[in-house]
Amino acid sequence: MAGPAGDGGARRRRVRSRVLLAAVVLVVVVGAVVAAFLLMSPRATPPAGSPSPTPTASASETVSSSPSATLPPLASGAMNILVLGSDIRGNARDAVARQEAGGGVVDQRSDMIMLIHVPADRSRVFGISIMRDTWVTIAGHGQAKINAALALGGPRLAADTVAAMLSTRIDHYAMLDFDGFKAITDALGGVDVNVPLAFTATFDTHHAFAQGLNHLDGQAALEFVRERYAFADGDYQRVRDQQAFVRSLVAQLLTTGRVRGPAEAMGAVALASPYVITDQGLDATGIAALGYGLRGIDPAADVFFTLPTAGTGTSADGQSIVVPDDAGIAEVAAALARDDLGGYAAAHGLG
């Protein structure tokens, strides 16, 4: 399939890739509202691909941030939230709005795709990374790399594609672009990240990362989560680094008291509100409620893993792709359906 799924456009965007912008969004799901906008609305949530994306209302527009502020309880049941990072050159929110209004293809792809699953017992959080070059069927467009869904139909189509792949429901989606990721990281005063493998970035400032604890500002964090060319296994290590960033950010935010009360949670939402694109089912109060409601989760219990693949290959039209492991994906889908990713993680030695 030529066009949005082709390698040429991906190469042109390599240096400006907004790979990890959405990593910050994950923090909300594990109790750090400060990083973005993900939430299960108190009302019933729509199926995969909710209504048109919209900027989330600021905290001040929704509920007072005074010490007496109150938040609604979390809805019952398991929750799935799709987190996307856009590689767009420009403003992702404007591009999505234009696409929703007039259709067509937008020059952006999702260089980060992660499904966040919060089980019904709220005991911990699971993050499932999906390799961006995974070869899938995109409804109405045939076979393509999964990251092309964002170009072809925006975050709603991306959510539908992941939902079909995993035979599950996507309750909400959230997306960040490059500027949002850097701004939020800097607003937090940087993040202490446990870097699993030493490397030097191949772009921008060519930041050198030592193995172990590194304090990263917004620019360094972006280089950390974007890099793939410095590694022998490319995107596979990049996905592991994305997961390491999220783990470190979650741990940092949960130990700083940023969601210790409703007022703090709402203030954190206000910090992130200018940067995140969400579906219409999300609002600032609900986002804060999610972060506050999950504040007691132990980040050490959270599990992040990569959706099984069968290695790399070449599509019929000559594209370099990641081949899906259909049996492995079916096993993950079955665990999601049972709300038993904990059992799946234990069986596969994940943690």
Side-chain angles (χ1 to χ4, degrees), residues 50-53 81-82 155-156 159 171-175 277-279 282:
S50 50
S52 301
I81 303 166
L82 183 66
R156 178 162 43 186
D171 296 299
H172 293 294
Y173 62 73
M175 185 169 78
I277 299 166
T278 68
D279 62 80
L282 306 186

Side-chain angles (χ1 to χ4, degrees), residues 118-126 297-298 301-302:
V118 183
D121 65 8
R122 305 291 190 257
S123 59
R124 51 182 167 169
V125 168
F126 297 88
I297 284 180
D298 179 4
D302 298 336

Side-chain angles (χ1 to χ4, degrees), residues 249-341:
L249 183 55
V250 168
Q252 179 171 318
L253 289 171
L254 290 181
T255 58
T256 58
R258 287 186 179 271
V259 291
R260 65 179 178 268
E264 289 81 6
M266 290 307 300
V269 169
L271 171 67
S273 61
Y275 307 111
V276 184
I277 299 166
T278 68
D279 62 80
Q280 289 183 339
L282 306 186
D283 63 25
T285 301
I287 292 165
L290 178 60
Y292 180 59
L294 299 179
R295 68 195 181 281
I297 284 180
D298 179 4
D302 298 336
V303 176
F304 294 87
F305 63 95
T306 302
L307 193 68
T309 74
T312 58
T314 304
S315 66
D317 62 352
Q319 297 181 57
S320 177
I321 63 172
V322 171
V323 180
D325 176 353
D326 293 333
I329 291 171
E331 190 178 358
V332 174
L336 279 168
R338 299 191 307 269
D339 193 16
D340 187 27
L341 278 182

Side-chain angles (χ1 to χ4, degrees), residues 3-279:
D7 286 340
R11 283 194 296 269
R12 288 193 301 271
R13 278 182 296 276
R14 176 172 67 86
V15 174
R16 297 286 294 171
S17 177
R18 274 72 162 150
V19 173
L20 253 220
L21 317 170
V24 179
V25 178
L26 304 177
V27 177
V28 168
V29 185
V30 291
V33 167
V34 116
F37 293 75
L38 306 169
L39 125 165
M40 188 172 198
S41 177
R43 58 182 177 276
T45 53
S50 50
S52 301
T54 182
T56 305
S58 69
S60 61
E61 295 174 314
T62 312
V63 66
S64 169
S65 61
S66 69
S68 62
T70 59
L71 294 170
L74 293 182
S76 61
M79 180 191 326
N80 292 319
I81 303 166
L82 183 66
V83 177
L84 302 168
S86 169
D87 71 354
I88 193 169
R89 297 177 180 228
N91 187 292
R93 179 173 294 156
D94 291 346
V96 170
R98 290 195 304 271
Q99 189 173 41
E100 288 283 333
V105 176
V106 171
D107 189 19
Q108 67 172 335
R109 288 167 183 76
S110 45
D111 275 350
M112 175 180 178
I113 307 169
M114 188 179 288
L115 180 69
I116 296 299
H117 176 78
V118 183
D121 65 8
R122 305 291 190 257
S123 59
R124 51 182 167 169
V125 168
F126 297 88
I128 306 174
S129 296
I130 301 173
M131 300 289 288
R132 66 178 192 162
D133 290 342
T134 302
W135 195 247
V136 299
T137 297
I138 299 175
H141 300 277
Q143 289 190 300
K145 295 179 182 180
I146 195 169
N147 68 350
L150 187 62
L152 295 166
R156 178 162 43 186
L157 182 58
D160 287 341
T161 303
V162 172
M165 186 183 192
L166 290 171
S167 302
T168 194
R169 181 193 73 251
I170 305 296
D171 296 299
H172 293 294
Y173 62 73
M175 185 169 78
L176 283 168
D177 64 18
F178 170 72
D179 293 332
F181 176 81
K182 289 178 62 175
I184 293 174
T185 302
D186 285 335
L188 293 170
V191 177
D192 294 324
V193 178
N194 190 12
V195 174
L197 183 68
F199 70 94
T200 298
T202 60
F203 57 92
D204 287 357
T205 71
H206 299 277
H207 189 93
F209 299 88
Q211 186 175 23
L213 196 64
N214 290 236
H215 183 78
L216 307 181
D217 62 11
Q219 177 61 40
L222 186 65
E223 292 179 40
F224 176 66
V225 299
R226 285 176 55 194
E227 182 59 55
R228 59 175 170 145
Y229 293 101
F231 309 121
D233 59 354
D235 275 337
Y236 286 92
Q237 182 60 44
R238 177 164 67 173
V239 165
R240 290 190 287 270
D241 286 346
Q242 292 172 359
Q243 294 166 353
F245 179 85
V246 174
R247 282 183 179 276
S248 298
L249 183 55
V250 168
Q252 179 171 318
L253 289 171
L254 290 181
T255 58
T256 58
R258 287 186 179 271
V259 291
R260 65 179 178 268
E264 289 81 6
M266 290 307 300
V269 169
L271 171 67
S273 61
Y275 307 111
V276 184
I277 299 166
T278 68
D279 62 80

